[in-house]
Amino acid sequence: MSGIYIHIPFCKQACHYCDFHFSTSMKKKEEMVLAIAKELQMRKNELENETIETIYFGGGTPSILPISEIRFLIDEVYKNYKVVKNPEITIEANPDDLSNERIIGLSKTKINRLSIGIQSFFEDDLKMMNRAHNSKEAKKCLEVATQYFDNISLDLIYGIPDSSQNGEQAQQMSNEKWIQNIQTALSFGIPHISSYALTVEPKTALNKLIQTGKIAKPKDEVAQEHFAILVEMLETNGFIQYELSNFGKEAFFSKNNSAYWLGKKYIGIGPSAHSYDRFSRSWNVSNNSLYLKAIQENRLPNEIEILSITDRYNEYVMIGLRTIWGVSLHKIENEFGKEYLNYLNKQVQKFINDDLVCIENNILKTTKKGKFLTDGIASDLFFINL
């Protein structure tokens, strides 16, 4: 089973924290849709012997596309690839795009999963992040969407600085405010929540606002508190934390994301999209004009990296530790060899002693205490070729 990711590189406006590839100019949107369709055709041989289990529209903001263009791209997948009977087909959407009419229209397509970028239900947070929607739109779209879709995920961000004050004295999001955000999300009966700490990326507006003292720098200790609250509240409400930042009710785990974490093949279509076939990784150019030019000239605008055994080991450890499935020591030995297994056993001992990780049934996993520190632990377990 494989997946197809389709990157729609357009947004109405730039969120202050975002460093994904997108353009706020819609001039080349129709041209881009046709180019994406052509890339789907050009790359069908890559998955000739595979069955497509998931189709995912990401971005950017794919919900800005008219229903007709979404249908057109889904049809192109079905024309060029072998698709399972009931694939998971997800579209990322912003609340301001999800009018009653648009939600009903999407429900009449093959889209069967919505991933809605709520981020926060508080007006001041949304303004600070420069989101295109407001709190009222966030709640309204969920009221309507839950009537037409069973499979809905929403995104929430924690560790947000309070922009109502200036400079380093500004307060961080309070625990009470974060709890209200989670309670509001739960009140809609949503079966999946993805939640991330606000991260300051180098070339973003958020980084500049922090450097100029207009917004306080997010604090790790606040984010860690919010993470603990999130885990406890969602587990109490029947959610399973199947990946560090992803929580789903039973039968509502994201098949698309789970496939990434379990090392399945996928191709990424559109500017900046990544592909993976277990032994190599490729990525398309992050430039709309260069992408369009290459596709028009029947060239794939991508670079390819062949993954070494060390690359594959490090990636497996990093992803495995973040998930409910953990890191199989059997797999480490069988796929990478005893040298890697011995190295891992040696490196991991200090984290076992500190009760940050444990080994059960030959599976390495983080403990509740170590969960928030997962990425740091994984990097300490990476194999370094000297």
Side-chain angles (χ1 to χ4, degrees):
M1 297 289 188
S2 299
I4 294 178
Y5 171 84
I6 298 173
H7 189 83
I8 307 299
F10 301 104
C11 289
K12 287 180 182 174
Q13 64 188 53
C15 298
H16 284 161
Y17 57 86
C18 182
D19 71 339
F20 291 164
H21 171 67
F22 65 90
S23 169
T24 53
S25 170
M26 305 290 169
K27 288 179 183 177
K28 296 181 178 179
K29 184 173 68 64
E30 289 77 12
E31 191 180 349
M32 181 63 69
V33 170
L34 291 174
I36 286 171
K38 186 174 178 181
E39 188 187 356
L40 281 165
Q41 296 161 16
M42 291 168 70
R43 298 183 66 184
K44 62 184 179 182
N45 291 340
E46 293 180 37
L47 297 179
E48 190 175 12
N49 300 315
E50 301 282 338
T51 304
I52 303 304
E53 185 181 24
T54 62
I55 303 167
Y56 192 99
F57 288 87
T61 312
S63 57
I64 64 170
L65 294 185
I67 298 288
S68 58
E69 292 180 346
I70 294 168
R71 275 206 180 97
F72 168 68
L73 291 174
I74 293 173
D75 287 346
E76 284 301 309
V77 173
Y78 273 80
K79 282 179 193 174
N80 292 283
Y81 300 83
K82 186 165 60 177
V83 182
V84 295
K85 187 176 180 182
N86 295 304
E88 178 189 87
I89 306 182
T90 304
I91 187 166
E92 292 180 354
N94 280 347
D96 47 298
D97 293 325
L98 293 179
S99 63
N100 292 19
E101 182 184 11
R102 173 55 69 91
I103 291 169
I104 293 168
L106 287 171
S107 73
K108 292 177 180 177
T109 69
K110 287 186 170 72
I111 298 284
N112 51 29
R113 185 173 184 270
L114 298 181
S115 178
I116 305 176
I118 300 291
Q119 314 311 354
S120 175
F121 290 100
F122 288 93
E123 212 63 58
D124 57 334
D125 293 340
L126 296 172
K127 286 178 180 175
M128 188 279 288
M129 292 185 282
N130 201 38
R131 296 290 293 165
H133 70 276
N134 58 43
S135 178
K136 185 178 178 182
E137 286 172 322
K139 294 171 184 175
K140 179 63 178 172
C141 83
L142 289 174
E143 285 174 11
V144 179
T146 49
Q147 296 174 39
Y148 292 91
F149 288 86
D150 296 323
N151 199 349
I152 298 174
S153 176
L154 61 80
D155 290 350
L156 291 176
I157 293 179
Y158 55 87
I160 301 172
D162 182 355
S163 59
S164 61
Q165 303 178 56
N166 289 327
E168 288 298 324
Q169 300 306 310
Q171 300 297 307
Q172 305 289 308
M173 175 191 274
S174 68
N175 289 349
E176 292 73 22
K177 191 177 180 184
W178 177 232
I179 289 168
Q180 284 183 54
N181 256 331
I182 300 169
Q183 288 173 335
T184 303
L186 291 172
S187 71
F188 291 98
I190 302 299
H192 189 282
I193 292 175
S194 297
S195 191
Y196 307 89
L198 182 67
T199 304
V200 184
E201 301 294 348
K203 296 179 181 179
T204 59
L206 177 61
N207 187 48
K208 189 171 183 181
L209 289 167
I210 289 170
Q211 287 179 340
T212 55
K214 293 179 181 176
I215 292 176
K217 184 178 180 181
K219 294 180 179 176
D220 287 345
E221 59 269 29
V222 173
Q224 188 164 359
E225 271 191 61
H226 290 178
F227 178 77
I229 290 167
L230 174 75
V231 172
E232 184 179 349
M233 286 184 68
L234 293 188
E235 286 183 352
T236 300
N237 282 274
F239 285 79
I240 299 166
Q241 186 183 18
Y242 67 106
E243 194 270 344
L244 188 65
S245 304
N246 286 269
F247 303 78
K249 294 283 183 76
E250 209 160 327
F252 286 97
F253 294 2
S254 165
K255 291 181 181 177
N256 175 80
N257 292 353
S258 295
Y260 295 161
W261 301 324
L262 291 169
K264 295 184 180 181
K265 291 172 67 173
Y266 61 88
I267 59 170
I269 306 293
S272 80
H274 285 233
S275 304
Y276 172 76
D277 69 0
R278 299 190 186 98
F279 300 101
S280 69
R281 187 176 301 286
S282 65
W283 54 94
N284 286 345
V285 63
S286 297
N287 181 296
N288 287 2
S289 296
L290 293 178
Y291 172 83
L292 289 170
K293 185 174 186 292
I295 295 296
Q296 286 160 3
E297 295 172 354
N298 298 311
R299 291 186 291 108
L300 291 177
N302 62 8
E303 291 182 52
I304 299 174
E305 175 192 14
I306 303 300
L307 299 173
S308 67
I309 188 169
T310 298
D311 292 332
R312 289 189 284 117
Y313 162 85
N314 289 344
E315 187 162 303
Y316 175 59
V317 168
M318 178 182 69
I319 294 173
L321 269 189
R322 289 180 63 97
T323 70
I324 198 172
W325 302 287
V327 175
S328 165
L329 301 187
H330 284 309
K331 181 171 179 174
I332 295 289
E333 184 173 11
N334 292 338
E335 289 197 16
F336 308 111
K338 284 196 173 181
E339 182 185 7
Y340 287 87
L341 179 62
N342 292 339
Y343 176 82
L344 178 63
N345 282 328
K346 181 183 175 184
Q347 289 294 107
V348 82
Q349 198 56 53
K350 59 187 173 185
F351 298 114
I352 292 175
N353 294 342
D354 291 337
D355 191 31
L356 298 176
V357 300
C358 63
I359 297 174
E360 295 176 358
N361 300 318
N362 248 16
I363 302 292
L364 174 67
K365 294 183 178 181
T366 53
T367 61
K368 191 170 185 178
K369 180 181 173 184
K371 192 73 77 175
F372 185 76
L373 305 172
T374 296
D375 290 343
I377 294 169
S379 66
D380 247 36
L381 303 179
F382 286 172
F383 193 94
I384 309 296
N385 286 321
L386 299 177

